[in-house]
């Protein structure tokens, strides 16, 4: 369970002025819940995710995970970034094995688990490739496998499909739902796509433009397992998408 | 097409070198310069071939190589370690930064007399001279390279439970490898140059000493031979370095 | 981050003082053979600078250095820019430069002295060679990086090739060229000192080694300090000039390409 309590973040800009990126965010995410944070670019939604990850300290407020305050990154919270952030000097297999080996898992065991994960993200046969030889979608699959390898109970996904083309994006969304519906990790998912947020989430947090505040939290009461085609025809899905689109338009 | 272009480029590149050799031969054949001042290219290259097969000459070359690699190896170890530490620790960065800024533009070969006084006339002072000259480009390149590593790479490792110090070694340093290797290559060429100069200034062996000895005895041919040897040595080291670099960086996106 | 508040350039000054203090402590505390305390070496500096003979020597050194540097820049910048704009010119010069690169320019002194004698000409030529290489290299990089579209626009306006090189490529490549010149300046000083160490006849390097031969160790260290400060001062002065000329460009992050 993630508890975000009155978190604000200020940055110092070049001219020495202070910029309030996010203001007074309070949010509780239950175990096994899939929550999306939706907002226009520059609303600080990624910053909020980095604060939960422990990569960036908040200026005010606090975050606790499972009752313990967040003071830095930890293997209970696995990030997936829009930029993939794969290690270019390691092969696909090496990337996925890295976290396990650093945690002291033996070589053979780490390799076995890495292979299984790569199979799960449909990348069998690419183990000895370097990241630069893969397409964007494949890179993101590797990054997801790398994070899942050390079994975090929470996934922090920072616009993970934002750099991908529309087709690849849909396929990865389908795969992610499938993976998530199987083992129900807690997911905090940052995106600026309304359809993506509604399709994937249990709840959608809509944020305001700078400074980022929570505007509204929408519960997505669609049944699971979700199937894209059925959902697209479903009235309730359409209503959610339209309602949230209106909410965001109203900020302009 | 690209292959053909490369070949043409290589041929064009050989033109100036060929022209210099031709001009050299022409000046010699026309008798414009006495052989005591400018020996014929044939004489020089015959002597070079002869010397490269002579154990005595190779021993001098070995002495030079030993000093070169000892100094460069030390510079590499210290430069990389300090560069990474300066990025990893604010305190180390705050101390090394200004010191490097003060020392980098100082002509470090001028320190060589100080090394002679403190370390003696033997290998140690020459290795020290190579070290102080080669360490700065390596240190600066490592510092700059590690400072601009995409933070999300480090975050990805830290999230897997890796400690900051371990992350520095297993992620930040490898990610900065292209920059580190650029610094190392500059350091390597500098090492070549400095070891030769130090041997010219004071030495009883090594390629630089051979040049000075030949100059004292007005053996012009023997003055050219060590110079060509050091150039060949530089080219060889550079080629070996490029091969190693290509292997180490095979995962990185190509640069122009 | 770690900027000391207020006075710019304070950190290097503190570092400089710290280095001298470290030297003093090392010499007095540990007692290394052949290393006099910093204070004793520094005490020699005014004496050297007040001596007309050594001043003439230093002046002569600086004159050769300035001349070699100016000639080097005058030749190297056009060559480098043309290499940057034409693949064929680059292919023509590259292998030659690679062959020359690892040769210590000052090591050519004995041979050049045979031809040109021990006077100013030899030393200036060697300095010229030492300066040229980094300036060619950086001008080449600068010329290569010039935005193609900028040249297309100029050509569309009817500008001929030589005019484009002078009026578009040169200013666009100027920041990178100046990085090369800065390296070249340090190299000029290094080549100057080494050439005088090898051909001991006059100049700064000569004073350094004569005092070494005569076992005037305090003078040796004083000369090292003088040469070091000279390097620092030239570099700082050039950096100011660079900042004034190309303040619009990014601050120089380039590596100092070492020695000769």
């Amino acid at each position: 369970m993630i508890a975000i309590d009155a978190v604000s973040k200020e940055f110092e800009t070049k001219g020495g002025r202070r910029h309030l990126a996010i203001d007074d965010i309070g949010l509780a995410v239950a175990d096994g819940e899939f929550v999306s944070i939706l907002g226009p670019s520059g609303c600080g939604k990624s910053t909020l995710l980095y604060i939960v990850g422990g990569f960036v300290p908040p200026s005010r407020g606090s975050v606790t995970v499972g009752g313990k305050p967040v003071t830095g990154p930890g293997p209970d919270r696995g990030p997936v970034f829009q930029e993939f952030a794969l290690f270019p000097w390691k092969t696909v297999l090496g990337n996925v094995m890295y976290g396990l080996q650093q945690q002291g898992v033996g070589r053979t065991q780490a390799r076995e688990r890495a292979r299984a994960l790569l199979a799960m993200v449909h990348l069998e046969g690419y183990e000895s490739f370097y990241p630069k030889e893969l397409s964007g979608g494949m890179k993101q699959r590797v990054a997801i496998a790398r994070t899942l390898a050390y079994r975090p109970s929470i996934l922090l996904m920072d616009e993970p499909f934002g750099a991908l083309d529309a087709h690849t994006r849909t396929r990865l969304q389908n795969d992610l739902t499938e993976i998530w519906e199987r083992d129900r990790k807690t997911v905090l998912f940052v995106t600026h796509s309304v359809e993506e947020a509604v399709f994937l989430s249990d709840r959608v947090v809509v944020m305001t433009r700078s400074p980022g505040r929570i505007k509204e939290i929408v519960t997505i009461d669609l049944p699971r397992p979700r199937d894209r085609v059925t959902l697209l025809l479903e009235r309730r899905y359409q209503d959610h998408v339209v309602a949230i689109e209106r909410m965001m338009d109203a900020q302009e | 097409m690209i292959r053909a272009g490369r070949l043409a480029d290589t041929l064009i590149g050989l033109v100036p070198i060929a022209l210099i050799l031709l001009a050299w031969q022409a000046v010699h054949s026309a008798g414009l310069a006495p052989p005591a001042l400018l020996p014929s290219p044939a004489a020089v290259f015959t002597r070079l071939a002869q010397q490269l097969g002579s154990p005595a000459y190779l021993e001098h070359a070995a002495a030079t190589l030993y000093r070169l690699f000892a100094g460069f190896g030390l510079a590499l170890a210290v430069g990389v370690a300090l560069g990474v530490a300066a990025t990893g620790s604010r305190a180390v960065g705050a101390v090394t930064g200004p010191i490097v800024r003060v020392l980098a533009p100082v002509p470090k070969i001028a320190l060589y007399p100080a090394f002679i006084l403190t370390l003696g006339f033997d290998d140690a002072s020459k290795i020290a001279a190579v070290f102080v000259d080669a360490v700065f480009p390596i240190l600066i390149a490592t510092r700059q390279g590690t400072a601009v590593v995409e933070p999300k790479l480090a975050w990805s490792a830290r999230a897997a439970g890796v400690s900051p110090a371990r992350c520095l070694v297993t992620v930040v340093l490898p990610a900065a490898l292209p920059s580190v290797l650029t610094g190392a290559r500059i350091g390597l060429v500098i090492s070549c140059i400095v070891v030769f100069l130090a041997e010219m200034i004071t030495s009883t062996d090594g390629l630089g000493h051979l040049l000075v000895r030949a100059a004292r005895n007005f053996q012009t041919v023997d003055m050219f031979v060590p110079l060509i040897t050091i150039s060949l040595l530089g080219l060889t080291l550079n080629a070996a370095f490029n091969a190693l670099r290509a292997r180490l960086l095979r995962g990185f996106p190509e640069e122009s | 981050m770690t900027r000391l508040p207020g006075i710019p350039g304070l950190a290097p000054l503190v570092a400089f003082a710290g280095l001298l203090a470290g030297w003093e402590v090392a010499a007095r505390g540990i007692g290394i053979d052949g290393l006099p305390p910093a204070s004793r070496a520094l005490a020699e500096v005014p004496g050297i600078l007040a001596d007309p003979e050594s001043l003439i020597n230093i002046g002569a050194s600086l004159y050769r250095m300035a001349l070699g540097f100016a000639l080097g820049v005058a030749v190297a910048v056009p060559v480098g820019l043309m290499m940057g704009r034409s693949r064929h010119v680059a292919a023509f010069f590259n292998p030659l430069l690679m062959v020359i690169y690892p040769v210590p320019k000052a090591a050519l002194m004995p041979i050049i002295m045979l031809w040109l004698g021990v006077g100013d000409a030899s030393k200036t030529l060697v300095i010229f060679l030492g300066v040229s290489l980094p300036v060619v290299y950086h001008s080449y990089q600068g010329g290569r990086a010039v935005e193609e579209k900028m040249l297309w626009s100029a050509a569309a306006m009817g500008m001929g090739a030589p005019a484009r090189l002078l009026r578009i490529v040169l200013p666009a490549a100027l920041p990178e060229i100046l990085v090369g010149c800065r390296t070249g300046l340090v190299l000029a000083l290094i080549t100057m000192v080494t050439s005088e160490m090898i051909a001991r006849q006059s100049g700064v390097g000569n004073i350094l080694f004569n005092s070494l031969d005569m076992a005037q160790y305090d003078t040796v260290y004083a000369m090292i300090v003088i040469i070091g400060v000279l390097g620092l001062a030239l570099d700082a002065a050039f950096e100011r000039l660079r900042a004034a000329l190309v303040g619009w460009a990014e601050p120089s992050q380039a590596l100092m390409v070492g020695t000769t």
Side-chain angles (χ1 to χ4, degrees):
Chain A
M1 141 106 179
I2 308 168
I4 301 168
D5 183 28
V7 162
S8 301
K9 179 71 188 178
E10 266 181 350
F11 290 107
E12 205 165 314
T13 56
K14 273 220 171 119
R17 264 169 297 161
R18 297 187 156 274
H19 167 71
L20 187 59
I22 49 176
D23 187 26
D24 194 27
I25 304 278
L27 179 70
V29 180
D31 285 338
E33 195 181 12
F34 197 121
V35 173
S36 286
I37 301 171
L38 186 68
S41 56
C43 75
K45 52 194 192 296
S46 291
T47 306
L48 180 62
L49 198 78
Y50 302 157
I51 291 173
V52 177
F55 308 121
V56 172
S59 303
R60 284 181 294 281
S62 66
V63 177
T64 57
V65 168
K68 272 182 257 162
V70 168
T71 52
D76 53 338
R77 286 152 287 141
V80 176
F81 299 109
Q82 181 179 3
E83 303 87 346
F84 321 129
L86 294 174
F87 305 133
W89 61 95
K90 283 182 183 294
T91 58
V92 165
L93 193 67
N95 265 283
V96 182
M97 283 167 67
Y98 173 82
L100 291 168
Q101 284 188 299
Q102 290 297 322
Q103 285 181 352
V105 177
R107 222 185 149 69
T108 7
Q109 223 183 326
R111 190 180 295 130
E112 219 165 274
R113 173 150 175 79
R115 281 185 190 283
L117 278 162
L118 285 170
M120 190 174 94
V121 295
H122 311 300
L123 280 176
E124 306 95 330
Y126 289 96
E127 287 83 355
S128 58
F129 281 56
Y130 281 97
K132 72 167 177 190
E133 297 164 311
L134 305 180
S135 68
M138 290 158 97
K139 281 183 193 155
Q140 196 55 290
R141 288 169 193 274
V142 177
I144 290 172
R146 179 179 68 175
T147 298
L148 291 175
Y150 51 86
R151 298 192 170 85
S153 56
I154 297 167
L155 284 182
L156 303 173
M157 308 190 85
D158 178 21
E159 299 194 41
F161 310 140
L164 307 177
D165 64 79
H167 174 69
T168 314
R169 200 181 165 111
T170 343
R171 282 188 51 193
L172 274 162
Q173 285 168 359
N174 291 341
D175 290 351
L176 177 65
T177 333
E178 205 176 290
I179 292 170
W180 181 81
E181 281 168 357
R182 211 180 306 149
D183 60 14
R184 300 256 169 175
K185 287 184 188 300
T186 313
V187 179
L188 209 51
F189 189 100
V190 165
T191 178
H192 58 250
S193 155
V194 178
E195 288 92 342
E196 183 170 82
V198 174
F199 173 59
L200 293 169
S201 316
D202 297 323
R203 281 194 296 160
V204 175
V205 178
V206 183
M207 287 182 67
T208 62
R209 196 181 287 278
S210 168
R213 297 196 182 89
I214 292 181
K215 185 187 175 79
E216 210 162 329
I217 300 178
V218 184
T219 305
I220 310 296
D221 48 356
L222 295 167
R224 290 188 188 267
R226 288 181 190 168
D227 170 70
R228 178 176 301 272
V229 179
T230 342
L231 222 51
L232 284 174
L233 294 167
E234 171 111 15
R235 185 58 202 260
R236 273 186 298 171
Y237 171 83
Q238 297 161 358
D239 285 346
H240 279 309
V241 171
V242 172
I244 296 173
E245 292 270 13
R246 288 223 173 99
M247 228 178 267
M248 295 186 63
D249 280 346
Q251 304 185 14
E252 299 298 319
Chain B
M1 267 317 280
I2 293 165
R3 283 274 161 103
R6 285 253 171 86
L7 185 66
D9 283 357
T10 313
L11 289 177
I12 295 174
L14 291 177
V15 171
I17 296 172
L19 279 179
I20 288 174
L21 289 177
L22 273 177
W24 180 0
Q25 182 65 51
V27 168
H28 178 79
S29 309
L32 289 174
L37 290 187
L38 187 70
S40 74
V44 168
F45 284 100
T46 315
R47 183 82 180 128
L48 176 68
Q50 195 185 334
Q51 288 286 49
L52 289 179
S54 122
Y57 187 82
L58 291 180
E59 233 165 76
H60 283 289
T64 302
L65 276 176
Y66 163 67
R67 292 163 186 153
L68 192 165
F69 279 117
F72 173 71
L74 265 175
L76 191 63
V78 172
V80 168
L82 270 182
V84 169
T87 296
S89 143
R90 207 165 264 209
V92 177
V95 173
T96 51
I99 291 180
V100 168
R101 258 161 66 202
V102 167
L103 290 183
V106 167
K108 279 156 296 274
I109 192 74
L111 289 173
Y112 182 50
F115 293 136
I116 296 176
L117 288 177
T118 50
L119 300 171
F121 284 89
D122 291 333
D123 287 343
S125 58
K126 293 175 186 69
I127 292 170
V130 171
F131 168 78
V132 289
D133 245 317
V135 75
F136 284 96
I138 299 173
L139 168 55
I140 294 170
T142 307
R143 168 79 174 113
Q144 285 175 358
T146 48
V148 299
V149 168
E150 164 64 56
K152 280 164 194 168
L153 282 182
W155 290 1
S156 297
R158 297 275 288 115
V162 179
S163 72
R166 236 185 130 76
C167 174
L168 214 52
V169 177
T170 61
V171 174
V172 177
L173 180 58
L177 205 56
S179 172
V180 173
L181 289 179
T182 303
R185 175 154 59 184
I186 295 170
L188 188 63
V189 176
I190 289 177
S191 302
C192 251
I193 288 170
V194 171
V195 74
F196 198 87
L197 289 176
E199 287 174 352
M200 282 183 76
I201 294 168
T202 59
S203 192
T204 51
D205 58 355
L207 294 172
H209 167 69
L210 289 182
L211 171 58
V212 172
R213 196 177 67 185
R216 272 195 210 117
N217 301 326
F218 296 103
Q219 294 163 328
T220 322
V221 175
D222 284 313
M223 290 166 70
F224 280 87
V225 172
L227 282 173
I228 298 174
T229 311
I230 196 83
S231 172
L232 290 177
L233 188 66
L235 285 177
T236 315
L237 286 177
N238 198 41
F241 192 91
N242 279 342
L244 180 72
R245 180 188 158 93
R247 192 171 158 66
L248 286 174
L249 298 187
R250 63 196 186 282
F252 285 82
E254 325 276 300
E255 287 172 81
S256 63
Chain C
M1 273 190 339
T2 45
R3 234 174 293 134
L4 293 175
I7 314 147
L10 181 65
L13 276 181
V14 171
F16 188 67
L19 286 170
L20 288 179
W23 171 8
E24 184 80 21
V25 169
R28 287 191 187 280
I30 312 168
I32 300 167
D33 274 346
L35 182 70
S39 51
R40 255 175 51 205
L42 289 180
E44 288 289 314
V45 173
I48 296 171
L49 294 182
D51 176 22
E53 200 192 329
S54 47
L55 275 186
I56 290 172
N57 265 311
I58 294 173
S61 291
L62 287 176
Y63 164 74
R64 286 190 293 265
M65 184 187 132
L67 193 62
F69 177 74
L71 286 174
V73 169
V75 171
V77 170
V79 169
L81 287 183
M82 282 190 289
M83 282 173 70
R85 293 320 310 169
S86 156
R87 218 189 59 164
H88 295 299
V89 178
F92 184 82
F93 283 109
N94 262 330
L96 181 65
L97 295 176
M98 270 183 70
V99 172
I100 300 176
Y101 190 33
V103 176
K105 286 0 138 245
L108 299 173
M109 270 310 276
I111 291 178
I112 294 178
M113 270 159 39
L114 279 180
W115 303 336
L116 302 178
V118 284
D120 281 358
S122 301
K123 286 170 192 153
T124 311
L125 177 63
V126 167
I127 293 170
F128 163 80
L129 289 173
V131 170
S132 301
L133 237 60
V135 181
V136 166
Y137 175 77
H138 283 279
S139 306
Y140 170 43
Q141 296 297 337
R144 214 161 62 146
V146 174
E147 182 67 50
E148 198 79 34
K149 307 250 162 62
M150 217 150 57
L151 290 166
W152 291 354
S153 317
M157 284 180 240
M159 215 184 261
R164 286 204 300 270
L165 200 61
L166 188 68
R167 305 214 348 232
I168 309 284
V169 178
L170 179 66
L174 196 58
E176 188 66 31
I177 292 174
L178 289 178
V179 169
C181 289
R182 191 177 167 193
T183 313
L185 192 64
V186 176
L187 274 177
L189 186 63
I190 293 168
T191 321
M192 173 193 102
V193 174
T194 14
S195 66
E196 290 165 357
M197 283 177 172
I198 289 164
R200 302 219 213 132
Q201 187 233 356
S202 76
V204 176
N206 184 45
I207 305 180
L208 184 56
F209 265 81
N210 276 348
S211 40
L212 183 66
D213 288 346
M214 292 189 284
Q216 296 167 331
Y217 297 151
D218 294 352
T219 313
V220 171
Y221 282 93
M223 279 312 293
I224 292 175
V225 171
I226 291 175
I227 294 169
V229 169
L230 208 57
L232 264 177
L234 281 172
D235 187 61
F238 193 85
E239 180 52 28
R240 289 201 130 180
L241 178 73
R242 195 195 67 81
L245 279 176
V246 290
W248 46 271
E250 291 294 300
S252 160
Q253 286 287 314
L255 288 171
M256 300 289 296
V257 189
T259 184
T260 191

